[in-house]
Amino acid sequence: MGRTSDAREKILTAAQSLIELRGYSALGVAEICKAAGVPKGSFYYFFESKEALALAVLDEHWAAQRGGWVRALQNEAEPLLRLRRLFEETEADLRTGQQSCGTVSGCMFGNLTLELSNQTEPIRERLQQIFEAQVDMVEKVVTEARQRGDVTVGDTREAARSVVAQLEGQVLFAKLYNNTQHLEALWDNCLSLLSARRPDVAAVSY
Amino acid sequence: MGRTSDAREKILTAAQSLIELRGYSALGVAEICKAAGVPKGSFYYFFESKEALALAVLDEHWAAQRGGWVRALQNEAEPLLRLRRLFEETEADLRTGQQSCGTVSGCMFGNLTLELSNQTEPIRERLQQIFEAQVDMVEKVVTEARQRGDVTVGDTREAARSVVAQLEGQVLFAKLYNNTQHLEALWDNCLSLLSARRPDVAAVSY
């Protein structure tokens, strides 16, 4: 191996899996390199520290997840049904992860927020940017829903943040019980948090 | 020092502070003993492993926090106002912690759920028991509120879990932004999640 062109990608992939399974603090650079199948010298060629790797993992993970959020939230369906699709796809993603590794590992951003955000400022800032981006995307949908008279919230920003908070809270329960069904409450809870009138699900496909 | 009668308490106190600040995986037994001011031999006299210590820390922390939950939720005030008091006291506790250590460390149970619950079954089980106890206490209040016609939820258990999920989600944001004001959304969100009529706050003191 060595400093070949795909070593960086291998390190990132291995680190993402290990961080999802065991968090950040429990990992050492040697273990990450072993899992990636690259010599330790390669690591410091690509990343100046374990923290720099964590930031790259966060960026890569959000780039991938953001695609799913865009597909769920930026389309022609009724606004509230797009939120429902986001919850369904989040549950499906957690279930896929559970099937592949035997356990619900949860949301990497929530995990690292609770593990690290009070310890390292660069990671805290990156996680803030990612959560703000999520709240932005939800807020756009809530604003559209309000324009249509589907919801009656006053502060769309606060409402969007509460929807994301509910998502993170239910993912916590899904991880605690190793059971993705906790996410099934999200749709009803979202309608409640937004003081929404329930859309006619049967009439609309997406 | 040595195996004196207060060494166990010193270890527990030091471990609780360190776990709140830096999580579980980042800590070693030697560091905990150093912070506690006890020799490492004492540790294994009282605890058979770091995991056994973590379980004892969880028990101790819940015994203390549960007292606050009982005072907030089991009294003569209107049921919904008791929930409001729980949120206010949770915010006050987080703010006290922030003032003493400079940062919002969040909810230890949420932190350890996301850090560890998929890795160690004994800790997962203990955290499940603690969260079930929290949901039980909230559900009792929701049931009382429903009997009075203050809320219109169907499934009181699911509603109580959603309230706790919202609490954990907003504590996550409080930690992410080192700002306890995120908990101020909890009262309105709780009323929304419970389809509640807003109680007359001015008329009732607690």
Side-chain angles (χ1 to χ4, degrees), chain B residues 78-111:
Chain B
E78 271 191 53
L80 291 172
L81 292 178
R82 289 181 238 157
L83 290 172
R84 192 175 73 139
R85 179 168 163 189
L86 175 70
F87 304 142
E88 286 172 350
E89 295 199 353
T90 302
E91 186 181 348
D93 287 347
L94 282 185
R95 210 164 38 232
T96 302
Q98 183 190 31
Q99 281 158 358
S100 78
C101 72
T103 180
V104 173
S105 58
C107 163
M108 184 195 279
F109 308 128
N111 294 347

Side-chain angles (χ1 to χ4, degrees), chain A residues 20-22 25-26 103-105 110-111 113-114 117-119 124 127-128 131-132 158 161-162 164-166 168-170 172-173 175-178 182 185 189 192-193, chain B residues 20-22 25-26 103-105 110-111 113-114 117-119 124 127-128 131-132 158 161-162 164-166 168-170 172-173 175-178 182 185 189 192-193:
Chain A
E20 285 200 320
L21 282 174
R22 295 177 35 218
S25 304
T103 180
V104 173
S105 58
N111 294 347
T113 294
L114 295 199
S117 67
N118 60 332
Q119 294 180 64
R124 186 202 289 273
L127 286 164
Q128 286 177 353
F131 275 110
E132 285 311 300
E158 197 55 58
R161 190 179 302 282
S162 297
V164 176
Q166 181 68 209
E168 289 296 323
Q170 295 288 2
L172 180 148
F173 278 114
K175 182 165 183 171
L176 179 62
Y177 290 94
N178 195 23
H182 284 282
N189 289 345
S192 298
L193 287 167
Chain B
E20 285 201 320
L21 282 174
R22 295 178 32 219
S25 303
T103 180
V104 173
S105 58
N111 294 347
T113 294
L114 295 199
S117 67
N118 61 333
Q119 294 180 64
R124 186 202 289 274
L127 286 164
Q128 286 177 353
F131 275 110
E132 285 310 301
E158 197 55 60
R161 190 180 301 284
S162 296
V164 176
Q166 181 68 210
E168 288 296 323
Q170 295 289 3
L172 181 147
F173 277 114
K175 182 166 183 170
L176 179 61
Y177 290 95
N178 196 23
H182 284 282
N189 290 344
S192 298
L193 287 167

Side-chain angles (χ1 to χ4, degrees), chain B residues 139-151:
Chain B
E139 188 189 5
K140 283 204 179 89
V141 179
V142 172
T143 302
E144 268 189 71
R146 190 171 68 172
Q147 283 162 351
R148 292 162 44 101
D150 294 344
V151 306

Side-chain angles (χ1 to χ4, degrees), chain B:
Chain B
M1 276 294 306
R3 297 174 185 180
T4 61
S5 56
D6 64 347
R8 183 176 187 278
E9 204 48 50
K10 286 182 174 176
I11 294 169
L12 275 173
T13 303
Q16 172 159 338
S17 297
L18 287 168
I19 288 173
E20 285 201 320
L21 282 174
R22 295 178 32 219
Y24 172 86
S25 303
L27 300 179
V29 168
E31 181 183 7
I32 294 165
C33 291
K34 190 175 171 198
V38 303
K40 203 166 166 184
S42 294
F43 184 92
Y44 291 104
Y45 179 76
F46 293 110
F47 302 101
E48 72 178 28
S49 63
K50 198 176 101 176
E51 181 179 286
L53 170 66
L55 291 169
V57 167
L58 285 173
D59 288 344
E60 185 118 328
H61 190 61
W62 175 231
Q65 192 185 89
R66 190 180 173 283
W69 280 56
V70 166
R71 283 190 298 279
L73 297 180
Q74 296 174 13
N75 57 61
E76 299 303 314
E78 271 191 53
L80 291 172
L81 292 178
R82 289 181 238 157
L83 290 172
R84 192 175 73 139
R85 179 168 163 189
L86 175 70
F87 304 142
E88 286 172 350
E89 295 199 353
T90 302
E91 186 181 348
D93 287 347
L94 282 185
R95 210 164 38 232
T96 302
Q98 183 190 31
Q99 281 158 358
S100 78
C101 72
T103 180
V104 173
S105 58
C107 163
M108 184 195 279
F109 308 128
N111 294 347
L112 293 184
T113 294
L114 295 199
E115 188 188 347
L116 289 181
S117 67
N118 61 333
Q119 294 180 64
T120 126
E121 283 307 314
I123 289 179
R124 186 202 289 274
E125 281 169 25
R126 195 65 54 94
L127 286 164
Q128 286 177 353
Q129 289 160 7
I130 291 167
F131 275 110
E132 285 310 301
Q134 292 188 349
V135 173
D136 280 348
M137 291 168 85
V138 172
E139 188 189 5
K140 283 204 179 89
V141 179
V142 172
T143 302
E144 268 189 71
R146 190 171 68 172
Q147 283 162 351
R148 292 162 44 101
D150 294 344
V151 306
T152 54
V153 292
D155 183 337
T156 53
R157 186 88 192 152
E158 197 55 60
R161 190 180 301 284
S162 296
V163 169
V164 176
Q166 181 68 210
L167 175 60
E168 288 296 323
Q170 295 289 3
V171 170
L172 181 147
F173 277 114
K175 182 166 183 170
L176 179 61
Y177 290 95
N178 196 23
N179 184 345
T180 61
Q181 287 182 349
H182 284 282
L183 274 71
E184 288 173 10
L186 283 170
W187 170 236
D188 274 339
N189 290 344
C190 173
L191 296 180
S192 298
L193 287 167
L194 299 177
S195 304
R197 63 175 178 77
R198 182 173 283 272
D200 182 359
V201 175
V204 184
S205 63
Y206 57 80

Side-chain angles (χ1 to χ4, degrees), chain A residues 32-96:
Chain A
I32 295 166
C33 291
K34 191 176 172 196
V38 304
K40 204 166 165 183
S42 296
F43 183 93
Y44 290 103
Y45 178 76
F46 293 110
F47 304 100
E48 73 179 27
S49 63
K50 199 176 102 175
E51 182 179 287
L53 170 67
L55 291 170
V57 167
L58 284 173
D59 287 343
E60 185 117 328
H61 191 59
W62 174 232
Q65 192 185 86
R66 190 180 174 283
W69 280 56
V70 166
R71 283 190 298 279
L73 297 181
Q74 297 174 11
N75 58 61
E76 299 302 313
E78 272 191 54
L80 291 172
L81 291 177
R82 289 181 238 155
L83 290 173
R84 191 174 74 137
R85 180 168 163 190
L86 175 69
F87 304 142
E88 288 171 351
E89 295 198 354
T90 302
E91 186 180 350
D93 287 346
L94 282 184
R95 211 164 39 233
T96 302

